[in-house]
Amino acid sequence: MKLNDVHNRTFKTLRVSLTNTCNLACTYCVNDANYQDQAQNISILSVENLVKIISKINQTLDLQTIRLTGGEPTLYKDIIPLIKSIAQIGPKIKLTTNGFLLKNLVQKLDGNELDSINVSLDALDEDIFFKISKRRSLYKIIEGIDAALAKGIHVKLNCVVIKGVNESQILPILAFAFERKISVRFLEIMKMGHLYADAESLFFSQNDILKVINQKYTFSKMIRSDAATANYWQTSEGNKFGIIANETEPFCGDCNRLRLDSYGNIFGCLSSNTPINITQNIDNEVILEQNLQNAMNQKQDYKFIGSNLSMLEIGG
Ligand code: SAM
């Protein structure tokens, strides 16, 4: 089925949230004031159900990528059988994780199931990392990154820059990435969940990030590829870094992402908080196509407007 909207957008990437829980409690997902320890091992949809839903969506949309995310996807109890089953469907599989349980996970994989892994790394300083995530043991993330690289899996780092909290980490994280020859992207904070009404005090813009990087490096902007989330720059030494600038330079115009949450609801846009449940009629092709069309209709034209759903719920 060719599913397009008026801007000629299609769905090519399916982001699947495996759980709505996490073993970190980062400031941008969870309100520090209401923070409760919430690391649990829960699987809401079974492997069988997830594989069925993903296969049906893929048959309709001919996806390029399936990205497993959450919450924290490595908390999904059956993640290994799930990855191995999804690998049979066809599209590339990518994973977004906080990296805490990554070492253990990659040791159980052959190394060819995952096309790449995005690891969220907001600080290399233990105290700053704790302030953001309410967790210690940052070393586990580094071990996870190195274990994935040792398995030959492509790794990218994502760092959300939070004003007044981790600007000081931009240069150390760049150096860490350059040393390992891995890609790194800095993210502007987004108006999601408890930050929907007020993310301004924490906002550190693309321009602010570039100014910090410019203290140490000279760089030039690269050409943006279609449907990319990040703008990229290349330093004079030939290293690359990216910025995901949802606010400064929204990339809604060619967004090709569809989200599936851990209860079997789809969302066509991060700025939409109206869930469309697809589990009940998953075998009915006509209803599935109508549901996908409804998700497509949720897409904003050109501007990210945010949502009161946290990424924990809708999938990061
Ligand atoms: N637990 C996994 C992880 O940490 O990568 C996957 C899910 S988590 C929601 C994915 C990422 O979404 C976070 O690391 C962060 O980069 C991003 N994120 C979540 N809420 C955000 C916000 N309000 N602004 C910017 N980025 C956010």
Side-chain angles (χ1 to χ4, degrees):
M1 176 196 182
K2 188 96 178 109
L3 193 76
N4 284 74
D5 73 353
V6 287
H7 304 294
N8 210 22
R9 292 179 289 197
T10 56
F11 288 132
K12 282 293 159 201
T13 296
L14 177 66
R15 300 180 78 107
V16 182
S17 175
L18 299 185
T19 73
N20 60 359
T21 190
C22 190
N23 44 356
L24 305 188
C26 300
T27 308
Y28 39 76
C29 273
V30 178
N31 189 343
D32 289 2
N34 300 338
Y35 163 62
Q36 289 174 335
D37 198 321
Q38 45 162 349
Q40 299 162 38
N41 239 342
I42 53 162
S43 306
I44 300 169
L45 290 174
S46 65
V47 171
E48 199 187 0
N49 276 337
L50 272 168
V51 170
K52 181 170 184 181
I53 294 169
I54 295 169
S55 301
K56 293 278 180 184
I57 294 178
N58 183 53
Q59 278 162 21
T60 309
L61 295 174
D62 191 19
L63 298 165
Q64 287 164 354
T65 304
I66 296 165
R67 177 175 293 283
L68 304 179
T69 180
E72 174 48 43
T74 58
L75 292 178
Y76 186 81
K77 189 161 53 68
D78 298 317
I79 189 162
I80 299 287
L82 179 72
I83 290 175
K84 289 188 185 279
S85 303
I86 298 178
Q88 309 305 316
I89 298 176
K92 289 178 190 163
I93 311 176
K94 301 184 179 187
L95 176 76
T96 298
T97 173
N98 60 36
F100 243 66
L101 303 173
L102 187 57
K103 183 177 171 191
N104 189 31
L105 177 82
V106 293
Q107 279 167 354
K108 293 183 186 150
L109 291 171
D110 297 333
N112 53 8
E113 301 94 335
L114 293 177
D115 178 72
S116 67
I117 302 180
N118 284 3
V119 180
S120 300
L121 182 68
D122 299 325
L124 284 168
D125 174 283
E126 275 283 356
D127 292 336
I128 298 176
F129 180 76
F130 180 78
K131 192 167 180 202
I132 297 171
S133 69
K134 326 299 171 298
R135 283 283 182 277
R136 301 244 171 237
S137 311
L138 172 63
Y139 75 92
K140 286 191 185 170
I141 302 177
I142 317 260
E143 281 184 0
I145 293 169
D146 288 336
L149 290 172
K151 264 267 157 85
I153 305 173
H154 190 63
V155 174
K156 282 186 195 170
L157 301 181
N158 283 338
C159 167
V160 181
V161 187
I162 311 167
K163 187 175 176 181
V165 181
N166 67 340
E167 309 92 307
S168 64
Q169 299 301 291
I170 295 173
L171 291 176
I173 287 175
L174 261 188
F176 177 90
F178 291 171
E179 202 180 287
R180 284 169 171 74
K181 303 203 178 341
I182 56 183
S183 180
V184 56
R185 285 105 49 92
F186 297 97
L187 282 80
E188 288 181 349
I189 204 153
M190 292 184 261
K191 294 176 281 195
M192 300 285 302
H194 74 103
L195 297 177
Y196 181 42
D198 182 23
E200 213 152 295
S201 57
L202 302 177
F203 185 70
F204 201 75
S205 71
Q206 170 168 267
N207 233 359
D208 296 332
I209 297 168
L210 289 174
K211 275 189 207 152
V212 172
I213 298 176
N214 198 220
Q215 290 167 10
K216 185 156 177 200
Y217 300 97
T218 51
F219 44 78
S220 50
K221 195 166 182 181
M222 301 172 73
I223 294 168
R224 178 180 179 271
S225 44
D226 285 349
T229 49
N231 297 315
Y232 280 96
W233 286 261
Q234 186 163 35
T235 67
S236 48
E237 296 84 16
N239 292 310
K240 265 178 32 176
F241 65 89
I243 300 181
I244 302 183
N246 249 296
E247 285 292 327
T248 309
E249 272 185 56
F251 38 88
C252 309
D254 55 4
C255 171
N256 65 10
R257 285 169 284 283
L258 172 70
R259 287 180 149 80
L260 174 70
D261 77 6
S262 53
Y263 294 98
N265 300 304
I266 53 170
F267 299 82
C269 179
L270 257 190
S271 296
S272 165
N273 51 16
T274 311
I276 302 170
N277 191 280
I278 59 162
T279 51
Q280 282 143 20
N281 294 298
I282 194 68
D283 289 315
N284 184 325
E285 240 171 75
V286 177
I287 297 181
L288 178 61
E289 285 181 14
Q290 187 53 56
N291 282 331
L292 290 168
Q293 184 61 59
N294 292 342
M296 179 61 80
N297 297 345
Q298 293 179 332
K299 282 200 180 296
Q300 293 294 313
D301 281 353
Y302 294 110
K303 186 149 172 52
F304 171 77
I305 56 169
S307 156
N308 56 16
L309 277 185
S310 151
M311 292 265 210
L312 261 183
E313 293 154 290
I314 195 168

